[in-house]
């Protein structure tokens, strides 16, 4: 029988969430390095290089891989012989660990959890409460898995009740393209099969906690060893999803997923529940056990095990842009897929700021900042520590701002936008009508991007915290022209081109 002390458990959870904020799982980062070696698409290869470089920088600097430091998810397997030396409940202990981790002054993490989700949506300030899943098992140990899941990938989760005779493969292949690039591929697909609707979703999430091992499964298949149905399904989906040509950041390329994970459970004869949850380029999870002997010790990975890939700004392939003198004519001349290095002052704003701007304009109120001939960056940065001017500041999913795009372009004087993932039809139409452009920064390269920001100050809506309007002064911030002034989107042309090149399966239809 083991006795788990309250402080040991709390500190172990706190250490785990700090650890995963700046250390990728080594299996993931090495698989991503192998994908970089194989990649033939220049745009995708550049994006993967930024993610790999960002990963090493975060590991060295002990700063977040991504500005979205996630919602805290904890899986607990509690041995039936475990006893607790605690005055707090298990949920309260987990919450305290999360609170300590996210408010750690040496590496403060962004608090993204909002209370009263259908009402005031007020930030809890410490990223609590965590989402905790419990299982009581045989034994006298406590097994803990901590994961930080970002909103971009969580928002792309899918669930369906298929007929028992329906094809799981067909559903996955028609569904993945509808997810867009907001989940920041290359990543991992977690699939839950069976049980009930809520069980399938839990299986999909839990499957993402396992190591990347698809190559070991390929090696097993190559020996002629008999595979289970689930193993065969993993290999089939891995190949066919990558054959869609979506590629890194949705730009088109050879690798969309690094692994496909599947867990299943018996289900009703009339049912076939299927859930799919992606893990993004900021894959973050760690597993440890407590046996009553003290807090967990997490092994520090060796930086020499990271892929030897370093991204640097290359003026031979990229065009420097002066944001302080930028004109509408210059924006209209940008070409799809063109790489730009941005210099000068830009504004920031995301969901809450756009909603407030819309409300103020509707009331005839003056905005706190002039957007005329300015560029806006969709970002909610991490708070700075030590000598930083801003913490990790990668892009948020641009499609959430689509409904505000025409308003911003036609009523504020804005001439361009920066975010991650694709834009929808309404936004693309507004961009085309106003001869504007949408620029894409790499999701999963937040610390790398922050190094290009030389100063930052709040210029509007300070009460919104990380969603306030900032003014950033940037030097050689890398972006790609994702939608040009004619409405051509590389998130449409790139995957089509690379699917045709790969040529393994037909285009999936919904």
């Amino acid at each position: 029988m083991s006795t788990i002390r309250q402080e040991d458990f709390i500190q172990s959870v706190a250490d785990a969430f700090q650890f995963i904020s700046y250390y990728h799982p080594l299996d993931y980062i090495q698989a991503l390095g192998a994908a970089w070696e194989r990649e033939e698409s220049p745009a995708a290869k550049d994006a993967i290089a930024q993610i790999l470089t960002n990963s090493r920088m975060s590991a060295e600097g002990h700063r977040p891989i991504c500005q979205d430091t996630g919602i805290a998810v904890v899986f607990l397997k509690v041995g039936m012989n475990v006893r607790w030396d605690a005055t707090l409940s298990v949920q309260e202990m987990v919450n305290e660990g999360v609170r300590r981790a996210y408010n750690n002054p040496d590496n403060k993490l962004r608090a993204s959890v909002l209370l009263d989700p259908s009402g005031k949506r007020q930030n809890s300030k410490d990223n609590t409460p965590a989402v905790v899943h419990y299982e009581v098992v045989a034994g006298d140990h406590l097994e803990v898995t901590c994961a930080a899941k970002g909103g971009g990938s969580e928002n792309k989760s899918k669930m369906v009740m298929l007929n028992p005779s329906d094809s799981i493969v067909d559903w996955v292949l028609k569904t993945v393209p509808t997810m867009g690039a907001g989940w920041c591929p290359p990543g991992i697909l977690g699939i839950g099969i069976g049980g009930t609707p809520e069980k399938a979703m839990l299986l999909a999430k839990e499957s993402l906690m396992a190591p990347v091992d698809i190559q070991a499964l390929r090696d097993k298949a190559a020996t002629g060893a008999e595979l289970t149905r689930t193993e065969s399904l993993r290999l089939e989906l891995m190949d066919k999803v990558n054959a869609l040509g979506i590629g890194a950041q949705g730009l088109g390329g050879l690798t969309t997923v690094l692994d496909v994970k599947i867990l299943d459970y018996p289900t009703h004869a009339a049912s076939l529940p299927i859930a799919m949850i992606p893990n993004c380029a900021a894959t973050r999870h760690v597993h440890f056990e407590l046996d009553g002997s003290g807090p967990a010790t997490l092994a520090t990975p060796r930086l020499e095990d990271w892929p030897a890939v370093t991204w640097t700004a290359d003026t031979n392939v990229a065009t420097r842009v002066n944001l302080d003198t930028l004109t509408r004519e210059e924006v209209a001349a940008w070409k799809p897929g063109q790489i730009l290095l941005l210099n000068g002052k830009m504004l920031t704003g995301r969901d809450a700021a756009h909603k407030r701007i819309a409300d103020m304009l509707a009331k005839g109120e003056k905005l706190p900042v002039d957007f005329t001939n300015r560029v806006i960056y969709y970002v909610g940065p991490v708070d700075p520590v030590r000598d930083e001017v801003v913490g990790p500041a990668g892009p948020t999913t641009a499609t959430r701002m689509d409904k505000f795009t025409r308003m911003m372009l036609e009523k504020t004087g804005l001439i361009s936008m920066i975010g991650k993932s694709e834009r929808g039809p309404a936004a693309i139409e507004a961009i085309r009508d106003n001869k504007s452009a949408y620029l894409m920064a790499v999701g999963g390269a937040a610390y790398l991007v922050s190094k290009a920001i030389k100063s930052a100050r709040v210029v509007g809506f300070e009460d919104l915290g990380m969603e306030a309007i900032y003014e950033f002064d940037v030097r050689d911030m890398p972006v790609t022209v994702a939608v040009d002034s004619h409405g051509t989107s590389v998130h449409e042309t790139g995957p089509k081109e690379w699917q045709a090149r790969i040529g393994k399966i037909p285009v999936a239809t919904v």
Side-chain angles (χ1 to χ4, degrees):
M1 182 177 293
S2 299
T3 299
I4 308 298
R5 291 183 291 273
Q6 177 172 294
E7 181 58 24
D8 290 344
F9 182 43
I10 291 173
Q11 194 56 49
S12 296
V13 170
D15 291 344
F17 278 103
Q18 276 285 305
F19 184 91
I20 63 177
S21 75
Y22 45 74
Y23 287 137
H24 265 121
L26 191 57
D27 50 84
Y28 171 84
I29 207 67
Q30 290 181 336
L32 187 62
W36 180 85
E37 293 282 356
R38 293 190 303 268
E39 188 56 67
E40 297 177 13
S41 162
K45 199 175 184 76
D46 181 80
I48 295 174
Q50 288 191 45
I51 295 168
L52 288 170
T53 302
N54 179 80
S55 178
R56 186 188 293 108
M57 290 173 62
S58 295
E60 291 172 338
H62 283 198
R63 290 295 274 145
I65 295 165
C66 180
Q67 81 288 338
D68 184 347
T69 51
I71 187 168
V73 180
V74 179
F75 288 87
L76 298 176
K77 291 186 177 181
V78 185
M80 295 177 69
N81 296 327
V82 164
R83 297 186 63 182
W84 292 93
D85 179 8
T87 58
L88 300 177
S89 70
V90 174
Q91 177 75 53
E92 288 170 335
M93 287 187 282
V94 171
N95 287 347
E96 178 57 26
V98 170
R99 187 174 294 114
R100 289 185 190 181
Y102 278 74
N103 286 332
N104 186 317
D106 290 328
N107 181 39
K108 188 170 174 60
L109 308 181
R110 197 184 83 182
S112 301
V113 171
L114 305 182
L115 308 175
D116 190 15
S118 63
K120 293 182 179 179
R121 294 181 66 83
Q122 184 174 0
N123 199 299
S124 71
K125 305 295 186 182
D126 56 15
N127 224 50
T128 66
V131 176
V132 185
H133 303 290
Y134 306 85
E135 184 179 355
V136 179
V137 300
D140 56 3
H141 291 69
L142 174 65
E143 294 185 33
V144 184
T145 300
C146 294
K149 278 298 260 102
S153 60
E154 288 291 86
N155 289 348
K156 301 303 181 179
S157 301
K158 304 293 181 181
M159 194 273 155
V160 68
M161 297 298 290
L162 295 180
N163 293 316
S165 60
D166 291 341
S167 167
I168 295 171
V169 172
D170 286 351
W171 178 78
V172 170
L173 294 182
K174 75 179 182 182
T175 302
V176 169
T178 71
M179 291 160 51
W183 61 282
C184 287
I188 301 163
L189 289 182
I191 297 175
I193 302 173
T196 52
E198 79 281 7
K199 181 66 173 178
M201 290 297 290
L202 184 57
L203 291 169
K205 179 64 68 66
E206 189 174 6
S207 75
L208 293 170
M209 304 300 112
V212 175
D213 64 355
I214 198 74
Q215 188 55 52
L217 186 55
R218 287 196 192 282
D219 295 341
K220 177 182 176 181
T223 67
E226 185 175 355
L227 302 181
T228 67
R229 171 57 185 149
T230 297
E231 289 174 331
S232 296
L233 186 58
R234 285 179 62 196
L235 289 175
E236 181 180 4
L237 286 172
M238 175 79 174
D239 291 340
K240 290 185 174 180
V241 168
N242 281 334
L244 293 170
I246 295 168
Q249 304 292 298
L251 296 170
L254 301 181
T255 301
T256 303
V257 291
L258 299 171
D259 202 344
V260 175
K261 297 297 189 183
I262 300 176
L263 287 177
D264 61 13
Y265 195 84
T267 193
H268 192 283
S271 303
L272 182 55
I274 307 293
M276 181 163 61
I277 302 176
N279 234 355
C280 64
T283 289
R284 295 166 293 202
H285 57 82
V286 68
H287 175 89
F288 60 88
E289 294 186 9
L290 297 178
D291 60 7
S293 61
T297 300
L298 304 175
T300 303
R302 304 185 316 157
L303 287 175
E304 53 264 39
D305 290 332
W306 257 246
V309 178
T310 301
W311 181 92
T312 55
D314 186 352
T315 54
N316 292 319
V317 297
T319 303
R320 280 201 170 100
V321 172
N322 186 345
L323 297 175
D324 299 331
T325 60
L326 188 63
T327 65
R328 292 183 176 275
E329 289 73 24
E330 287 179 80
V331 171
W334 290 339
K335 304 298 182 184
Q338 184 177 358
I339 300 173
L340 309 177
L341 297 174
L342 304 182
N343 291 269
K345 292 180 172 60
M346 66 173 62
L347 297 170
T348 77
R350 40 179 285 162
D351 309 64
H354 280 76
K355 176 64 168 61
R356 189 172 291 184
I357 289 169
D359 291 343
M360 292 179 70
L361 289 175
K363 296 175 183 177
E365 297 175 353
K366 184 178 180 180
L367 299 180
V369 63
D370 185 0
F371 287 92
T372 303
N373 290 343
R374 302 296 296 272
V375 173
I376 194 169
Y377 181 27
Y378 303 146
V379 61
V382 176
D383 288 345
V385 299
R386 297 181 289 278
D387 60 347
E388 293 177 343
V389 299
V390 70
T396 197
T397 306
T399 46
R400 298 202 311 275
M401 269 54 74
D402 280 5
K403 63 183 179 181
F404 301 109
T405 299
R406 185 172 292 277
M407 171 203 73
M408 292 295 295
L409 293 176
E410 296 180 358
K411 294 186 178 181
T412 72
L414 189 76
I415 59 174
S416 188
M417 303 144 286
I418 307 164
K420 75 171 184 180
S421 78
E422 72 286 345
R423 303 309 298 264
I428 291 175
E429 182 180 26
I431 290 168
R432 183 181 63 243
D433 290 349
N434 290 278
K435 298 300 179 184
S436 179
Y438 165 61
L439 312 175
M440 190 211 78
V442 172
Y447 196 40
L448 174 66
V449 170
S450 73
K451 296 303 182 184
I453 302 169
K454 303 308 178 184
S455 69
R457 65 187 183 101
V458 175
V459 293
F461 307 154
E462 186 172 6
D463 62 297
L464 295 181
M466 63 94 175
E467 295 208 57
I469 299 176
Y470 289 77
E471 184 178 69
F472 289 167
D473 189 4
V474 300
R475 294 291 179 271
D476 283 349
M477 176 178 164
V479 296
T480 299
V481 180
V483 180
D484 74 348
S485 60
H486 300 288
T488 301
S489 170
V490 298
H491 287 102
E492 295 177 1
T493 59
K496 286 180 181 178
E497 174 190 347
W498 282 92
Q499 185 181 61
R501 291 194 186 192
I502 297 167
K504 290 183 179 178
I505 60 173
V507 176
T509 57
V510 179

